[in-house]
Amino acid sequence: MKRTTCISAAASVVLIVGGPVSAATAASADTARTVTAAAAAVPTAETAEQASAAALKHYPGVVESLDKDGTVWHVDVISKDGKGHAELEVAADGTVTEENLDTDENPAEHKDLIAAKVTAEQAMKAALAAHPGQVWSVSWQDDEDGGAHYWEVEVRSSDGKTWDAHVDHATGKVTQSDSNSNNGDDNN
């Protein structure tokens, strides 16, 4: 009987002392999983597509233009009603900074952009399908003389060439594409 009491007492001591230690260990493991998941959830903006997504999350609307300057992306977003215009900087870590915000735009100036069937993001995908590489810039081309509207997308390939693609605003078809190498030679 003494032996059973001693074993029970020893088991109680282990549970009493070990319980908080186990709980603390479990809590630390949960915290580590939470921190790791949170760190993994932080969006980066190393590509044009990621920069566009970060900008639109910060200021919902339609991307009008996007270009890379070093490690920073400059993104212009027009609100869906055409009255707002945000000039944003998106850092490589996904941080978005408002450089300029205008809420008194003339919606008529942006009606064609807002009505375009092909978004900047879709134009980037079309350009990359035609010319693999990395998108360096995309911009809405609004010909004020009544000409066709289109997206101009600059793609830089791994071989050092830069491709300037025109993407149709209604179909997403790459309608024109010019290549320039970094040494200034034109390859049309």
Side-chain angles (χ1 to χ4, degrees):
M1 181 89 151
K2 271 186 165 184
R3 184 168 182 240
T4 306
T5 305
C6 288
I7 291 174
S8 295
S12 296
V13 169
V14 168
L15 288 174
I16 291 170
V17 173
V21 172
S22 295
T25 303
S28 294
D30 287 341
T31 303
R33 277 193 294 269
T34 302
V35 170
T36 304
V42 172
T44 61
E46 296 174 3
T47 67
E49 296 86 348
Q50 292 168 333
S52 175
L56 291 173
K57 184 176 180 182
H58 181 83
Y59 188 85
V62 179
V63 170
E64 180 182 39
S65 68
L66 172 145
D67 65 274
K68 189 170 186 177
D69 183 15
T71 60
V72 176
W73 293 93
H74 299 280
V75 186
D76 283 2
V77 179
I78 303 299
S79 63
K80 291 186 181 186
D81 65 3
K83 294 179 182 179
H85 176 207
E87 294 176 14
L88 308 172
E89 281 191 1
V90 182
D93 67 359
T95 304
V96 179
T97 306
E98 287 183 11
E99 293 298 306
N100 190 19
L101 184 60
D102 184 5
T103 58
D104 195 22
E105 291 278 309
N106 179 357
E109 290 181 25
H110 306 293
K111 68 179 173 68
D112 292 327
L113 169 64
I114 294 167
K117 292 181 181 177
V118 176
T119 65
E121 296 77 15
Q122 293 166 329
M124 289 187 281
K125 286 180 185 177
L128 288 173
H131 304 288
Q134 182 179 10
V135 172
W136 219 253
S137 69
V138 62
S139 61
W140 175 253
Q141 299 300 314
D142 191 0
D143 188 352
E144 295 175 3
D145 295 330
H149 306 294
Y150 61 92
W151 290 101
E152 185 172 21
V153 183
E154 180 182 338
V155 177
R156 293 191 182 177
S157 62
S158 59
D159 65 0
K161 289 188 177 182
T162 300
W163 295 90
D164 292 319
H166 292 187
V167 180
D168 186 88
H169 76 288
T171 65
K173 181 180 176 187
V174 178
T175 57
Q176 177 182 346
S177 182
D178 297 323
S179 169
N180 299 311
S181 65
N182 285 341
N183 63 10
D185 294 337
D186 287 340
N187 299 323
N188 291 334

